[in-house]
Amino acid sequence: MHDTSLPQAAIRSLGDWIEGRLIGRAALVERLLIGLLTGGHVLIEGVPGLAKTRAVRLLAEGVDASFARVQCTPDLMPSDLTGTPVFRPDTGSFDFTPGPIFNSIVLVDEINRAPPKVQSALLEGMAEAQVTVGGETRELPDPFMVVATQNPIEHEGTFPLPEAQLDRFLFHALVDVPGPDEEMRILDLVDAEALGDQDAPARLLISDLATARSAVREVHVAPALKEYVVRLVTATRDADLCPEVQHPASPRGSLALVAGARARAWLDGRDYTTPEDVTALAEDALAHRMVLTWRAEADGATARGVVRGLLDTIEPL
């Protein structure tokens, strides 16, 4: 059995370092670290100017792994993401030039601006850790993590993500505007950074991340807690409990909650999970996997509101 104290300290240190440069974003940092520990992908949604891209760049800066950013536009091509075979006249053969998806941490900025063909290419990478180009399938690196951002207020020139792709994200995290006190701290942080008053993080080694991932998988989840997760997720399929839901959460919702609860417990220094680990992550893990009826949406209902209602109704054993 590996000693996980060093990787645990390194990941906690990384989280503290990121939080110190992202004012008021502790929940987002936790979701990113959980995604890193579980091999899950994270979708971040918020209006412009809320440091979504900055959060991912800070994460990548603190991990000793390759990083790439893809700026999505309506004219983006799948080959811009996956790469393409390039003809070499001197040899008379094609050499494959890999695209940005062949990196360990991939930031897909404004993902809803990417056309459907690009989203499909990204979906294969997220689902299977591989991409197919020119009829040949190529493996993606390990670790591999996609963090995507999207803007909820701008819809011109966008392509809504299909449910199949949304379901591949471990979490869908919402980022709100900061309060006055937090905004003042942001101003102070920017001034300090302009003066060069900042230190670089000790980068998390891939070997330590692999050890941490193994330790997370060993965190105990009691049968009663698994049953609580299943009752929460299957409740979205109960027309009497959730009449607002047209398409309920898939079994990936249960998998995401259990995996996330394990990682959250491990980050907290525990080798066992609690109901609080589940309830803290439930909205971000389940809401994006559900589609409400048009009538419910017209009445102002939201998937997150449905999940909150279930958390109030369904008690842990």
Side-chain angles (χ1 to χ4, degrees), residues 10 14 17-18 36 56-65 105 200-205:
L14 172 61
W17 182 82
I18 297 174
L36 189 66
V56 188
R57 284 192 174 278
L58 288 171
L59 176 69
E61 189 176 340
V63 180
D64 189 25
I105 300 176
R203 303 193 81 192
L204 177 67
L205 300 177

mmCIF file with all atom_site columns, all heavy atoms in Angstrom, residues 10 14 17-18 36 56-65 105 200-205:
data_model
loop_
_atom_site.group_PDB
_atom_site.id
_atom_site.type_symbol
_atom_site.label_atom_id
_atom_site.label_alt_id
_atom_site.label_comp_id
_atom_site.label_asym_id
_atom_site.label_entity_id
_atom_site.label_seq_id
_atom_site.pdbx_PDB_ins_code
_atom_site.Cartn_x
_atom_site.Cartn_y
_atom_site.Cartn_z
_atom_site.occupancy
_atom_site.B_iso_or_equiv
_atom_site.pdbx_formal_charge
_atom_site.auth_seq_id
_atom_site.auth_comp_id
_atom_site.auth_asym_id
_atom_site.auth_atom_id
_atom_site.pdbx_PDB_model_num
ATOM 1   N N   . ALA A 1 10  ? 0.531   17.585 -1.187  1.00 0.00 ? 10  ALA A N   1
ATOM 2   C CA  . ALA A 1 10  ? 0.824   18.325 -2.415  1.00 0.00 ? 10  ALA A CA  1
ATOM 3   C C   . ALA A 1 10  ? -0.461  18.839 -3.061  1.00 0.00 ? 10  ALA A C   1
ATOM 4   O O   . ALA A 1 10  ? -0.511  19.985 -3.532  1.00 0.00 ? 10  ALA A O   1
ATOM 5   C CB  . ALA A 1 10  ? 1.586   17.423 -3.388  1.00 0.00 ? 10  ALA A CB  1
ATOM 6   N N   . LEU A 1 14  ? -1.682  22.640 -3.518  1.00 0.00 ? 14  LEU A N   1
ATOM 7   C CA  . LEU A 1 14  ? -2.084  23.179 -4.819  1.00 0.00 ? 14  LEU A CA  1
ATOM 8   C C   . LEU A 1 14  ? -3.432  23.881 -4.712  1.00 0.00 ? 14  LEU A C   1
ATOM 9   O O   . LEU A 1 14  ? -3.618  24.990 -5.245  1.00 0.00 ? 14  LEU A O   1
ATOM 10  C CB  . LEU A 1 14  ? -2.155  22.048 -5.849  1.00 0.00 ? 14  LEU A CB  1
ATOM 11  C CG  . LEU A 1 14  ? -2.745  22.395 -7.217  1.00 0.00 ? 14  LEU A CG  1
ATOM 12  C CD1 . LEU A 1 14  ? -1.912  23.477 -7.895  1.00 0.00 ? 14  LEU A CD1 1
ATOM 13  C CD2 . LEU A 1 14  ? -2.840  21.147 -8.099  1.00 0.00 ? 14  LEU A CD2 1
ATOM 14  N N   . TRP A 1 17  ? -3.041  27.176 -2.994  1.00 0.00 ? 17  TRP A N   1
ATOM 15  C CA  . TRP A 1 17  ? -2.366  28.148 -3.866  1.00 0.00 ? 17  TRP A CA  1
ATOM 16  C C   . TRP A 1 17  ? -3.340  28.719 -4.896  1.00 0.00 ? 17  TRP A C   1
ATOM 17  O O   . TRP A 1 17  ? -3.355  29.932 -5.146  1.00 0.00 ? 17  TRP A O   1
ATOM 18  C CB  . TRP A 1 17  ? -1.188  27.469 -4.562  1.00 0.00 ? 17  TRP A CB  1
ATOM 19  C CG  . TRP A 1 17  ? -0.405  28.388 -5.444  1.00 0.00 ? 17  TRP A CG  1
ATOM 20  C CD1 . TRP A 1 17  ? 0.562   29.266 -5.064  1.00 0.00 ? 17  TRP A CD1 1
ATOM 21  C CD2 . TRP A 1 17  ? -0.551  28.542 -6.865  1.00 0.00 ? 17  TRP A CD2 1
ATOM 22  N NE1 . TRP A 1 17  ? 1.035   29.954 -6.165  1.00 0.00 ? 17  TRP A NE1 1
ATOM 23  C CE2 . TRP A 1 17  ? 0.369   29.530 -7.274  1.00 0.00 ? 17  TRP A CE2 1
ATOM 24  C CE3 . TRP A 1 17  ? -1.369  27.929 -7.818  1.00 0.00 ? 17  TRP A CE3 1
ATOM 25  C CZ2 . TRP A 1 17  ? 0.495   29.917 -8.605  1.00 0.00 ? 17  TRP A CZ2 1
ATOM 26  C CZ3 . TRP A 1 17  ? -1.249  28.318 -9.148  1.00 0.00 ? 17  TRP A CZ3 1
ATOM 27  C CH2 . TRP A 1 17  ? -0.323  29.299 -9.531  1.00 0.00 ? 17  TRP A CH2 1
ATOM 28  N N   . ILE A 1 18  ? -4.176  27.863 -5.474  1.00 0.00 ? 18  ILE A N   1
ATOM 29  C CA  . ILE A 1 18  ? -5.157  28.341 -6.457  1.00 0.00 ? 18  ILE A CA  1
ATOM 30  C C   . ILE A 1 18  ? -6.192  29.238 -5.780  1.00 0.00 ? 18  ILE A C   1
ATOM 31  O O   . ILE A 1 18  ? -6.541  30.311 -6.297  1.00 0.00 ? 18  ILE A O   1
ATOM 32  C CB  . ILE A 1 18  ? -5.848  27.153 -7.157  1.00 0.00 ? 18  ILE A CB  1
ATOM 33  C CG1 . ILE A 1 18  ? -4.836  26.323 -7.947  1.00 0.00 ? 18  ILE A CG1 1
ATOM 34  C CG2 . ILE A 1 18  ? -6.946  27.651 -8.099  1.00 0.00 ? 18  ILE A CG2 1
ATOM 35  C CD1 . ILE A 1 18  ? -5.422  25.049 -8.552  1.00 0.00 ? 18  ILE A CD1 1
ATOM 36  N N   . LEU A 1 36  ? -9.707  16.305 -11.232 1.00 0.00 ? 36  LEU A N   1
ATOM 37  C CA  . LEU A 1 36  ? -8.330  15.845 -11.438 1.00 0.00 ? 36  LEU A CA  1
ATOM 38  C C   . LEU A 1 36  ? -8.111  14.485 -10.773 1.00 0.00 ? 36  LEU A C   1
ATOM 39  O O   . LEU A 1 36  ? -7.473  13.593 -11.340 1.00 0.00 ? 36  LEU A O   1
ATOM 40  C CB  . LEU A 1 36  ? -7.360  16.879 -10.878 1.00 0.00 ? 36  LEU A CB  1
ATOM 41  C CG  . LEU A 1 36  ? -5.878  16.703 -11.177 1.00 0.00 ? 36  LEU A CG  1
ATOM 42  C CD1 . LEU A 1 36  ? -5.600  16.875 -12.666 1.00 0.00 ? 36  LEU A CD1 1
ATOM 43  C CD2 . LEU A 1 36  ? -5.049  17.715 -10.371 1.00 0.00 ? 36  LEU A CD2 1
ATOM 44  N N   . VAL A 1 56  ? -8.595  27.624 -14.671 1.00 0.00 ? 56  VAL A N   1
ATOM 45  C CA  . VAL A 1 56  ? -8.036  26.449 -15.339 1.00 0.00 ? 56  VAL A CA  1
ATOM 46  C C   . VAL A 1 56  ? -6.541  26.646 -15.584 1.00 0.00 ? 56  VAL A C   1
ATOM 47  O O   . VAL A 1 56  ? -5.748  25.712 -15.443 1.00 0.00 ? 56  VAL A O   1
ATOM 48  C CB  . VAL A 1 56  ? -8.782  26.171 -16.658 1.00 0.00 ? 56  VAL A CB  1
ATOM 49  C CG1 . VAL A 1 56  ? -8.326  24.839 -17.245 1.00 0.00 ? 56  VAL A CG1 1
ATOM 50  C CG2 . VAL A 1 56  ? -10.287 26.155 -16.435 1.00 0.00 ? 56  VAL A CG2 1
ATOM 51  N N   . ARG A 1 57  ? -6.151  27.842 -15.948 1.00 0.00 ? 57  ARG A N   1
ATOM 52  C CA  . ARG A 1 57  ? -4.731  28.111 -16.159 1.00 0.00 ? 57  ARG A CA  1
ATOM 53  C C   . ARG A 1 57  ? -3.934  27.916 -14.858 1.00 0.00 ? 57  ARG A C   1
ATOM 54  O O   . ARG A 1 57  ? -2.817  27.403 -14.871 1.00 0.00 ? 57  ARG A O   1
ATOM 55  C CB  . ARG A 1 57  ? -4.531  29.540 -16.683 1.00 0.00 ? 57  ARG A CB  1
ATOM 56  C CG  . ARG A 1 57  ? -4.902  29.696 -18.157 1.00 0.00 ? 57  ARG A CG  1
ATOM 57  C CD  . ARG A 1 57  ? -4.414  31.024 -18.696 1.00 0.00 ? 57  ARG A CD  1
ATOM 58  N NE  . ARG A 1 57  ? -4.630  31.158 -20.125 1.00 0.00 ? 57  ARG A NE  1
ATOM 59  C CZ  . ARG A 1 57  ? -3.834  30.651 -21.056 1.00 0.00 ? 57  ARG A CZ  1
ATOM 60  N NH1 . ARG A 1 57  ? -2.775  29.946 -20.696 1.00 0.00 ? 57  ARG A NH1 1
ATOM 61  N NH2 . ARG A 1 57  ? -4.098  30.836 -22.330 1.00 0.00 ? 57  ARG A NH2 1
ATOM 62  N N   . LEU A 1 58  ? -4.508  28.339 -13.749 1.00 0.00 ? 58  LEU A N   1
ATOM 63  C CA  . LEU A 1 58  ? -3.827  28.148 -12.470 1.00 0.00 ? 58  LEU A CA  1
ATOM 64  C C   . LEU A 1 58  ? -3.696  26.659 -12.142 1.00 0.00 ? 58  LEU A C   1
ATOM 65  O O   . LEU A 1 58  ? -2.651  26.207 -11.661 1.00 0.00 ? 58  LEU A O   1
ATOM 66  C CB  . LEU A 1 58  ? -4.593  28.872 -11.357 1.00 0.00 ? 58  LEU A CB  1
ATOM 67  C CG  . LEU A 1 58  ? -4.518  30.394 -11.368 1.00 0.00 ? 58  LEU A CG  1
ATOM 68  C CD1 . LEU A 1 58  ? -5.490  30.975 -10.351 1.00 0.00 ? 58  LEU A CD1 1
ATOM 69  C CD2 . LEU A 1 58  ? -3.093  30.876 -11.066 1.00 0.00 ? 58  LEU A CD2 1
ATOM 70  N N   . LEU A 1 59  ? -4.757  25.907 -12.402 1.00 0.00 ? 59  LEU A N   1
ATOM 71  C CA  . LEU A 1 59  ? -4.689  24.457 -12.181 1.00 0.00 ? 59  LEU A CA  1
ATOM 72  C C   . LEU A 1 59  ? -3.578  23.841 -13.027 1.00 0.00 ? 59  LEU A C   1
ATOM 73  O O   . LEU A 1 59  ? -2.763  23.044 -12.532 1.00 0.00 ? 59  LEU A O   1
ATOM 74  C CB  . LEU A 1 59  ? -6.037  23.810 -12.526 1.00 0.00 ? 59  LEU A CB  1
ATOM 75  C CG  . LEU A 1 59  ? -6.071  22.283 -12.439 1.00 0.00 ? 59  LEU A CG  1
ATOM 76  C CD1 . LEU A 1 59  ? -5.960  21.828 -10.985 1.00 0.00 ? 59  LEU A CD1 1
ATOM 77  C CD2 . LEU A 1 59  ? -7.349  21.739 -13.078 1.00 0.00 ? 59  LEU A CD2 1
ATOM 78  N N   . ALA A 1 60  ? -3.542  24.216 -14.303 1.00 0.00 ? 60  ALA A N   1
ATOM 79  C CA  . ALA A 1 60  ? -2.527  23.660 -15.199 1.00 0.00 ? 60  ALA A CA  1
ATOM 80  C C   . ALA A 1 60  ? -1.123  24.078 -14.782 1.00 0.00 ? 60  ALA A C   1
ATOM 81  O O   . ALA A 1 60  ? -0.174  23.300 -14.896 1.00 0.00 ? 60  ALA A O   1
ATOM 82  C CB  . ALA A 1 60  ? -2.801  24.110 -16.636 1.00 0.00 ? 60  ALA A CB  1
ATOM 83  N N   . GLU A 1 61  ? -0.996  25.296 -14.261 1.00 0.00 ? 61  GLU A N   1
ATOM 84  C CA  . GLU A 1 61  ? 0.321   25.782 -13.825 1.00 0.00 ? 61  GLU A CA  1
ATOM 85  C C   . GLU A 1 61  ? 0.836   24.973 -12.642 1.00 0.00 ? 61  GLU A C   1
ATOM 86  O O   . GLU A 1 61  ? 2.046   24.824 -12.461 1.00 0.00 ? 61  GLU A O   1
ATOM 87  C CB  . GLU A 1 61  ? 0.221   27.265 -13.447 1.00 0.00 ? 61  GLU A CB  1
ATOM 88  C CG  . GLU A 1 61  ? 1.554   27.930 -13.191 1.00 0.00 ? 61  GLU A CG  1
ATOM 89  C CD  . GLU A 1 61  ? 1.428   29.422 -12.917 1.00 0.00 ? 61  GLU A CD  1
ATOM 90  O OE1 . GLU A 1 61  ? 0.381   29.999 -13.285 1.00 0.00 ? 61  GLU A OE1 1
ATOM 91  O OE2 . GLU A 1 61  ? 2.364   30.000 -12.320 1.00 0.00 ? 61  GLU A OE2 1
ATOM 92  N N   . GLY A 1 62  ? -0.090  24.440 -11.853 1.00 0.00 ? 62  GLY A N   1
ATOM 93  C CA  . GLY A 1 62  ? 0.308   23.708 -10.663 1.00 0.00 ? 62  GLY A CA  1
ATOM 94  C C   . GLY A 1 62  ? 0.450   22.208 -10.864 1.00 0.00 ? 62  GLY A C   1
ATOM 95  O O   . GLY A 1 62  ? 0.729   21.490 -9.894  1.00 0.00 ? 62  GLY A O   1
ATOM 96  N N   . VAL A 1 63  ? 0.233   21.719 -12.071 1.00 0.00 ? 63  VAL A N   1
ATOM 97  C CA  . VAL A 1 63  ? 0.349   20.286 -12.347 1.00 0.00 ? 63  VAL A CA  1
ATOM 98  C C   . VAL A 1 63  ? 1.436   20.078 -13.391 1.00 0.00 ? 63  VAL A C   1
ATOM 99  O O   . VAL A 1 63  ? 1.477   20.777 -14.411 1.00 0.00 ? 63  VAL A O   1
ATOM 100 C CB  . VAL A 1 63  ? -0.993  19.697 -12.849 1.00 0.00 ? 63  VAL A CB  1
ATOM 101 C CG1 . VAL A 1 63  ? -0.851  18.211 -13.133 1.00 0.00 ? 63  VAL A CG1 1
ATOM 102 C CG2 . VAL A 1 63  ? -2.097  19.928 -11.821 1.00 0.00 ? 63  VAL A CG2 1
ATOM 103 N N   . ASP A 1 64  ? 2.305   19.129 -13.144 1.00 0.00 ? 64  ASP A N   1
ATOM 104 C CA  . ASP A 1 64  ? 3.419   18.865 -14.053 1.00 0.00 ? 64  ASP A CA  1
ATOM 105 C C   . ASP A 1 64  ? 2.931   18.020 -15.237 1.00 0.00 ? 64  ASP A C   1
ATOM 106 O O   . ASP A 1 64  ? 3.287   16.847 -15.382 1.00 0.00 ? 64  ASP A O   1
ATOM 107 C CB  . ASP A 1 64  ? 4.542   18.133 -13.310 1.00 0.00 ? 64  ASP A CB  1
ATOM 108 C CG  . ASP A 1 64  ? 5.801   18.019 -14.146 1.00 0.00 ? 64  ASP A CG  1
ATOM 109 O OD1 . ASP A 1 64  ? 5.993   18.857 -15.051 1.00 0.00 ? 64  ASP A OD1 1
ATOM 110 O OD2 . ASP A 1 64  ? 6.595   17.090 -13.901 1.00 0.00 ? 64  ASP A OD2 1
ATOM 111 N N   . ALA A 1 65  ? 2.082   18.641 -16.054 1.00 0.00 ? 65  ALA A N   1
ATOM 112 C CA  . ALA A 1 65  ? 1.494   17.943 -17.205 1.00 0.00 ? 65  ALA A CA  1
ATOM 113 C C   . ALA A 1 65  ? 1.281   18.954 -18.316 1.00 0.00 ? 65  ALA A C   1
ATOM 114 O O   . ALA A 1 65  ? 1.241   20.170 -18.083 1.00 0.00 ? 65  ALA A O   1
ATOM 115 C CB  . ALA A 1 65  ? 0.164   17.291 -16.818 1.00 0.00 ? 65  ALA A CB  1
ATOM 116 N N   . ILE A 1 105 ? -4.242  18.383 -19.792 1.00 0.00 ? 105 ILE A N   1
ATOM 117 C CA  . ILE A 1 105 ? -5.310  19.297 -19.350 1.00 0.00 ? 105 ILE A CA  1
ATOM 118 C C   . ILE A 1 105 ? -5.655  20.178 -20.535 1.00 0.00 ? 105 ILE A C   1
ATOM 119 O O   . ILE A 1 105 ? -4.798  20.893 -21.067 1.00 0.00 ? 105 ILE A O   1
ATOM 120 C CB  . ILE A 1 105 ? -4.865  20.149 -18.152 1.00 0.00 ? 105 ILE A CB  1
ATOM 121 C CG1 . ILE A 1 105 ? -4.503  19.247 -16.962 1.00 0.00 ? 105 ILE A CG1 1
ATOM 122 C CG2 . ILE A 1 105 ? -5.964  21.129 -17.754 1.00 0.00 ? 105 ILE A CG2 1
ATOM 123 C CD1 . ILE A 1 105 ? -3.959  20.001 -15.757 1.00 0.00 ? 105 ILE A CD1 1
ATOM 124 N N   . ALA A 1 200 ? 5.528   30.951 -7.388  1.00 0.00 ? 200 ALA A N   1
ATOM 125 C CA  . ALA A 1 200 ? 5.102   29.846 -8.238  1.00 0.00 ? 200 ALA A CA  1
ATOM 126 C C   . ALA A 1 200 ? 4.805   28.631 -7.369  1.00 0.00 ? 200 ALA A C   1
ATOM 127 O O   . ALA A 1 200 ? 5.432   28.438 -6.320  1.00 0.00 ? 200 ALA A O   1
ATOM 128 C CB  . ALA A 1 200 ? 6.196   29.514 -9.251  1.00 0.00 ? 200 ALA A CB  1
ATOM 129 N N   . PRO A 1 201 ? 3.861   27.810 -7.776  1.00 0.00 ? 201 PRO A N   1
ATOM 130 C CA  . PRO A 1 201 ? 3.519   26.636 -6.974  1.00 0.00 ? 201 PRO A CA  1
ATOM 131 C C   . PRO A 1 201 ? 4.553   25.523 -7.163  1.00 0.00 ? 201 PRO A C   1
ATOM 132 O O   . PRO A 1 201 ? 5.265   25.484 -8.175  1.00 0.00 ? 201 PRO A O   1
ATOM 133 C CB  . PRO A 1 201 ? 2.164   26.213 -7.552  1.00 0.00 ? 201 PRO A CB  1
ATOM 134 C CG  . PRO A 1 201 ? 2.257   26.617 -8.999  1.00 0.00 ? 201 PRO A CG  1
ATOM 135 C CD  . PRO A 1 201 ? 3.067   27.897 -9.008  1.00 0.00 ? 201 PRO A CD  1
ATOM 136 N N   . ALA A 1 202 ? 4.623   24.629 -6.173  1.00 0.00 ? 202 ALA A N   1
ATOM 137 C CA  . ALA A 1 202 ? 5.381   23.390 -6.362  1.00 0.00 ? 202 ALA A CA  1
ATOM 138 C C   . ALA A 1 202 ? 4.510   22.479 -7.222  1.00 0.00 ? 202 ALA A C   1
ATOM 139 O O   . ALA A 1 202 ? 3.418   22.099 -6.810  1.00 0.00 ? 202 ALA A O   1
ATOM 140 C CB  . ALA A 1 202 ? 5.683   22.751 -5.011  1.00 0.00 ? 202 ALA A CB  1
ATOM 141 N N   . ARG A 1 203 ? 4.957   22.174 -8.416  1.00 0.00 ? 203 ARG A N   1
ATOM 142 C CA  . ARG A 1 203 ? 4.091   21.466 -9.369  1.00 0.00 ? 203 ARG A CA  1
ATOM 143 C C   . ARG A 1 203 ? 3.832   20.033 -8.924  1.00 0.00 ? 203 ARG A C   1
ATOM 144 O O   . ARG A 1 203 ? 4.735   19.324 -8.464  1.00 0.00 ? 203 ARG A O   1
ATOM 145 C CB  . ARG A 1 203 ? 4.713   21.492 -10.763 1.00 0.00 ? 203 ARG A CB  1
ATOM 146 C CG  . ARG A 1 203 ? 4.994   22.896 -11.270 1.00 0.00 ? 203 ARG A CG  1
ATOM 147 C CD  . ARG A 1 203 ? 5.315   22.898 -12.750 1.00 0.00 ? 203 ARG A CD  1
ATOM 148 N NE  . ARG A 1 203 ? 4.109   22.835 -13.551 1.00 0.00 ? 203 ARG A NE  1
ATOM 149 C CZ  . ARG A 1 203 ? 4.102   22.599 -14.865 1.00 0.00 ? 203 ARG A CZ  1
ATOM 150 N NH1 . ARG A 1 203 ? 5.232   22.367 -15.488 1.00 0.00 ? 203 ARG A NH1 1
ATOM 151 N NH2 . ARG A 1 203 ? 2.987   22.582 -15.536 1.00 0.00 ? 203 ARG A NH2 1
ATOM 152 N N   . LEU A 1 204 ? 2.570   19.621 -9.036  1.00 0.00 ? 204 LEU A N   1
ATOM 153 C CA  . LEU A 1 204 ? 2.160   18.274 -8.668  1.00 0.00 ? 204 LEU A CA  1
ATOM 154 C C   . LEU A 1 204 ? 2.665   17.288 -9.709  1.00 0.00 ? 204 LEU A C   1
ATOM 155 O O   . LEU A 1 204 ? 2.377   17.417 -10.899 1.00 0.00 ? 204 LEU A O   1
ATOM 156 C CB  . LEU A 1 204 ? 0.626   18.211 -8.596  1.00 0.00 ? 204 LEU A CB  1
ATOM 157 C CG  . LEU A 1 204 ? 0.013   16.854 -8.279  1.00 0.00 ? 204 LEU A CG  1
ATOM 158 C CD1 . LEU A 1 204 ? 0.347   16.434 -6.855  1.00 0.00 ? 204 LEU A CD1 1
ATOM 159 C CD2 . LEU A 1 204 ? -1.501  16.899 -8.494  1.00 0.00 ? 204 LEU A CD2 1
ATOM 160 N N   . LEU A 1 205 ? 3.434   16.304 -9.268  1.00 0.00 ? 205 LEU A N   1
ATOM 161 C CA  . LEU A 1 205 ? 3.996   15.324 -10.176 1.00 0.00 ? 205 LEU A CA  1
ATOM 162 C C   . LEU A 1 205 ? 2.934   14.330 -10.618 1.00 0.00 ? 205 LEU A C   1
ATOM 163 O O   . LEU A 1 205 ? 2.026   13.993 -9.854  1.00 0.00 ? 205 LEU A O   1
ATOM 164 C CB  . LEU A 1 205 ? 5.150   14.572 -9.500  1.00 0.00 ? 205 LEU A CB  1
ATOM 165 C CG  . LEU A 1 205 ? 6.337   15.424 -9.045  1.00 0.00 ? 205 LEU A CG  1
ATOM 166 C CD1 . LEU A 1 205 ? 7.354   14.544 -8.333  1.00 0.00 ? 205 LEU A CD1 1
ATOM 167 C CD2 . LEU A 1 205 ? 6.968   16.152 -10.215 1.00 0.00 ? 205 LEU A CD2 1
#
